[in-house]
Coordinates of all heavy atoms in Angstrom, one line a residue:
V9 N 0.8 -1.2 0.0 CA 0.0 0.0 0.0 C 0.8 1.2 0.0 O 0.6 2.2 -0.7 CB -0.9 0.0 1.2 CG1 -1.6 1.4 1.4 CG2 -1.9 -1.1 1.1
V10 N 1.9 1.2 0.8 CA 2.9 2.4 0.8 C 3.6 2.5 -0.6 O 3.7 3.7 -1.0 CB 4.0 2.1 1.9 CG1 5.0 3.1 1.7 CG2 3.4 2.3 3.3
C11 N 3.9 1.4 -1.2 CA 4.5 1.5 -2.6 C 3.6 2.1 -3.6 O 3.9 2.9 -4.4 CB 5.0 0.1 -3.0 SG 6.3 -0.7 -2.2
L12 N 2.3 1.6 -3.4 CA 1.2 2.2 -4.2 C 1.0 3.7 -4.0 O 1.0 4.6 -5.0 CB -0.1 1.5 -3.9 CG -1.2 1.6 -5.0 CD1 -0.7 0.8 -6.3 CD2 -2.5 0.9 -4.5
L13 N 1.0 4.2 -2.8 CA 1.1 5.7 -2.5 C 2.3 6.4 -3.0 O 2.1 7.4 -3.6 CB 0.9 5.8 -1.0 CG 0.8 7.2 -0.5 CD1 -0.4 7.9 -1.0 CD2 0.8 7.3 1.1
R14 N 3.4 5.9 -2.8 CA 4.6 6.5 -3.3 C 4.6 6.6 -4.9 O 5.0 7.6 -5.5 CB 5.8 5.8 -2.9 CG 6.1 5.9 -1.3 CD 7.3 5.2 -0.9 NE 7.6 5.4 0.5 CZ 8.4 4.7 1.2 NH1 9.2 3.7 0.6 NH2 8.7 5.1 2.5
A15 N 4.2 5.6 -5.6 CA 4.0 5.5 -7.0 C 3.1 6.7 -7.5 O 3.2 7.2 -8.5 CB 3.6 4.2 -7.5
A16 N 2.0 6.8 -6.6 CA 1.0 7.9 -7.1 C 1.4 9.3 -6.7 O 1.0 10.3 -7.4 CB -0.3 7.6 -6.3
A17 N 2.4 9.4 -5.7 CA 2.6 10.8 -5.2 C 4.0 11.3 -5.4 O 4.2 12.4 -5.7 CB 2.4 10.9 -3.7
D18 N 4.9 10.4 -5.5 CA 6.4 10.8 -5.4 C 6.9 11.4 -6.8 O 7.6 12.5 -6.8 CB 7.3 9.7 -5.0 CG 7.2 9.6 -3.5 OD1 6.5 10.3 -2.9 OD2 7.8 8.5 -3.0
P19 N 6.5 10.8 -8.0 CA 7.3 11.2 -9.2 C 6.9 12.6 -9.5 O 5.7 13.1 -9.5 CB 6.7 10.3 -10.2 CG 6.3 9.1 -9.5 CD 5.9 9.6 -8.2
P20 N 7.8 13.5 -9.9 CA 7.5 14.9 -10.2 C 6.7 14.9 -11.6 O 6.0 15.9 -11.8 CB 8.9 15.5 -10.4 CG 9.9 14.3 -10.6 CD 9.3 13.3 -9.9
G21 N 6.9 14.0 -12.4 CA 6.2 14.1 -13.7 C 4.9 13.4 -13.7 O 4.3 13.1 -14.8
G22 N 4.3 13.1 -12.6 CA 3.0 12.4 -12.5 C 3.2 11.0 -12.0 O 4.4 10.5 -11.7
P23 N 2.1 10.3 -11.8 CA 2.2 8.9 -11.3 C 3.0 8.0 -12.1 O 3.1 8.1 -13.3 CB 0.8 8.4 -11.2 CG -0.1 9.7 -11.3 CD 0.8 10.6 -12.0
D24 N 3.9 7.1 -11.4 CA 4.6 6.1 -12.1 C 3.8 5.0 -12.4 O 3.5 4.1 -11.4 CB 5.8 5.8 -11.2 CG 6.9 4.9 -11.8 OD1 6.4 4.1 -12.8 OD2 8.0 4.9 -11.5
R25 N 3.4 4.7 -13.7 CA 2.4 3.8 -14.0 C 2.9 2.4 -13.7 O 2.2 1.5 -13.4 CB 1.9 4.0 -15.5 CG 1.2 5.2 -15.6 CD 0.5 5.4 -17.1 NE -0.2 6.6 -17.2 CZ -0.8 6.9 -18.3 NH1 -0.7 6.2 -19.4 NH2 -1.5 8.0 -18.4
R26 N 4.2 2.1 -14.1 CA 4.7 0.8 -13.9 C 4.8 0.4 -12.5 O 4.4 -0.7 -12.2 CB 6.1 0.8 -14.6 CG 6.1 0.9 -16.1 CD 7.5 0.8 -16.6 NE 8.1 -0.5 -16.4 CZ 9.4 -0.9 -16.7 NH1 10.1 -0.1 -17.3 NH2 9.8 -2.1 -16.5
R27 N 5.2 1.3 -11.6 CA 5.2 1.0 -10.2 C 3.8 0.8 -9.7 O 3.5 -0.1 -8.8 CB 5.9 2.1 -9.4 CG 7.4 2.1 -9.6 CD 8.0 3.3 -8.9 NE 7.8 3.3 -7.4 CZ 8.0 4.4 -6.6 NH1 8.4 5.5 -7.2 NH2 7.7 4.2 -5.4
L28 N 2.8 1.7 -10.2 CA 1.4 1.5 -9.8 C 1.0 0.1 -10.2 O 0.3 -0.6 -9.3 CB 0.6 2.5 -10.5 CG 0.5 3.8 -9.7 CD1 -0.3 4.7 -10.6 CD2 -0.3 3.7 -8.4
L29 N 1.2 -0.4 -11.4 CA 0.7 -1.6 -11.8 C 1.4 -2.8 -11.1 O 0.7 -3.8 -10.6 CB 1.0 -1.9 -13.3 CG 0.1 -1.0 -14.3 CD1 0.7 -1.2 -15.7 CD2 -1.3 -1.5 -14.2
A30 N 2.6 -2.7 -10.8 CA 3.4 -3.7 -10.1 C 2.9 -3.8 -8.6 O 2.7 -4.8 -8.1 CB 4.9 -3.4 -10.1
S31 N 2.7 -2.6 -8.0 CA 2.2 -2.6 -6.7 C 0.8 -3.2 -6.4 O 0.4 -3.9 -5.6 CB 2.3 -1.2 -6.1 OG 3.6 -0.7 -6.0
A32 N 0.0 -2.8 -7.5 CA -1.4 -3.2 -7.5 C -1.5 -4.7 -7.7 O -2.2 -5.5 -6.9 CB -2.2 -2.6 -8.5
A33 N -0.7 -5.3 -8.6 CA -0.7 -6.6 -8.7 C -0.2 -7.4 -7.6 O -0.7 -8.5 -7.2 CB 0.2 -7.0 -10.0
G34 N 1.0 -7.0 -7.0 CA 1.5 -7.6 -5.8 C 0.5 -7.6 -4.6 O 0.3 -8.5 -3.9
L35 N -0.2 -6.4 -4.4 CA -1.2 -6.3 -3.4 C -2.4 -7.3 -3.7 O -2.8 -7.9 -2.6 CB -1.8 -4.8 -3.4 CG -2.8 -4.5 -2.4 CD1 -2.2 -4.8 -0.9 CD2 -3.3 -3.1 -2.4
A36 N -2.7 -7.5 -4.8 CA -4.0 -8.3 -5.1 C -3.5 -9.7 -4.8 O -4.2 -10.5 -4.2 CB -4.2 -8.3 -6.6
A37 N -2.2 -10.2 -5.1 CA -1.7 -11.5 -4.9 C -1.6 -11.7 -3.4 O -2.0 -12.8 -2.9 CB -0.4 -11.7 -5.6
T38 N -1.1 -10.8 -2.7 CA -1.0 -10.9 -1.2 C -2.2 -11.0 -0.5 O -2.4 -11.8 0.5 CB 0.0 -9.8 -0.6 OG1 1.1 -9.6 -1.5 CG2 0.4 -10.1 0.7
V39 N -3.2 -10.2 -0.9 CA -4.5 -10.2 -0.3 C -5.2 -11.5 -0.5 O -5.9 -12.1 0.4 CB -5.4 -9.0 -0.8 CG1 -6.9 -9.2 -0.4 CG2 -4.9 -7.6 -0.2
S40 N -5.0 -12.0 -1.8 CA -5.7 -13.3 -2.1 C -5.1 -14.4 -1.2 O -5.9 -15.3 -0.8 CB -5.4 -13.6 -3.6 OG -6.1 -12.6 -4.3
A41 N -3.8 -14.4 -1.1 CA -3.1 -15.5 -0.1 C -3.7 -15.4 1.2 O -4.0 -16.4 1.8 CB -1.7 -15.3 -0.2
Q42 N -3.8 -14.1 1.7 CA -4.3 -13.9 3.1 C -5.7 -14.4 3.4 O -6.0 -14.9 4.4 CB -4.2 -12.5 3.5 CG -4.5 -12.2 5.0 CD -3.6 -12.8 6.0 OE1 -2.3 -12.9 5.8 NE2 -4.3 -13.5 6.9
V43 N -6.6 -14.3 2.3 CA -7.9 -14.8 2.5 C -7.9 -16.3 2.7 O -8.7 -16.8 3.5 CB -8.8 -14.5 1.1 CG1 -10.0 -15.3 1.1 CG2 -9.0 -13.0 1.0
F44 N -7.0 -17.0 2.1 CA -7.0 -18.5 2.3 C -6.1 -18.8 3.7 O -5.9 -20.0 3.9 CB -6.4 -19.2 1.1 CG -7.3 -19.1 -0.1 CD1 -7.0 -18.2 -1.1 CD2 -8.4 -19.8 -0.2 CE1 -7.9 -18.1 -2.1 CE2 -9.3 -19.7 -1.4 CZ -9.0 -18.9 -2.2
I45 N -5.7 -17.8 4.4 CA -5.0 -18.1 5.7 C -5.9 -17.7 6.8 O -6.2 -18.4 7.7 CB -3.7 -17.3 5.7 CG1 -2.7 -17.8 4.7 CG2 -3.1 -17.5 7.1 CD1 -1.3 -17.0 4.6
G46 N -6.4 -16.4 6.7 CA -7.2 -15.9 7.8 C -7.9 -14.6 7.3 O -7.3 -13.5 7.2

């Protein structure tokens, strides 16, 4: 989530789309795994 926020806020030229996509995909995978844990 922090990586997603930094990708959205930090770059001076606007959001870093590649970092946004990578962070979103990683977040989706991790959340999906946690559902099957608890």
Side-chain angles (χ1 to χ4, degrees):
V9 170
V10 171
C11 290
L12 202 62
L13 177 61
R14 288 175 176 173
D18 286 353
D24 186 332
R25 293 185 179 181
R26 292 184 63 181
R27 287 176 61 194
L28 272 173
L29 289 174
S31 299
L35 182 60
T38 310
V39 165
S40 298
Q42 183 62 45
V43 165
F44 293 103
I45 296 174

